[in-house]
């Protein structure tokens, strides 16, 4: 039963996109209600925790992006992305060659 995105379908609820590749969504009604409640709670905690970033930036006058650049590093151009992929590919090939030589 897939009630995906059809408002009047039985079993429809907001947010049901029919994506559950690991079959984590419970079959019984009690388990489903518990799962929905847990998702709402986790979403609220995540939204509140984002306020921590805001307060930290306000009090320290330092940007989170500047303090943790490895989390927010974006490539400027396609060429940079291609260059980085080539470096990673070369490193992987070297590691594979070394591993094959060790066997």
């Amino acid at each position: 039963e897939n009630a995906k995105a059809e408002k009047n379908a039985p079993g429809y609820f907001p947010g049901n996109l029919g994506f559950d590749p690991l079959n984590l969504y419970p079959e019984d009604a009690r388990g489903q209600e518990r799962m929905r409640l847990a998702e709402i709670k986790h979403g609220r905690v995540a939204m509140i925790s984002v306020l921590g970033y805001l307060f930290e930036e306000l009090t320290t006058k330092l940007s989170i992006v500047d303090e943790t650049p490895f989390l927010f590093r974006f490539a400027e151009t396609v060429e940079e992305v291609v260059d980085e992929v080539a470096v990673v590919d070369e490193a992987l090939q070297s590691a594979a060659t070394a591993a094959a030589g060790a066997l």
Side-chain angles (χ1 to χ4, degrees), residues 17-34:
L17 301 176
F19 181 75
D20 188 18
L22 300 177
N23 293 321
L24 297 175
Y25 195 66
E27 296 290 327
D28 61 303
R30 184 171 182 226
Q32 291 174 356
E33 185 62 32
R34 187 168 186 251

Side-chain angles (χ1 to χ4, degrees), residues 5-64:
E6 296 179 22
K7 285 188 177 183
N8 296 326
Y12 170 80
F13 59 90
N16 180 10
L17 301 176
F19 181 75
D20 188 18
L22 300 177
N23 293 321
L24 297 175
Y25 195 66
E27 296 290 327
D28 61 303
R30 184 171 182 226
Q32 291 174 356
E33 185 62 32
R34 187 168 186 251
M35 177 74 81
R36 283 187 233 148
L37 182 62
E39 287 188 18
I40 289 170
K41 286 181 177 182
H42 292 134
R44 289 178 180 166
V45 168
M47 287 186 280
I48 291 170
S49 65
V50 168
L51 291 174
Y53 288 116
L54 172 69
F55 290 128
E56 181 179 346
E57 287 187 4
L58 290 174
T59 56
T60 63
K61 305 293 186 216
L62 296 172
S63 170
I64 296 298

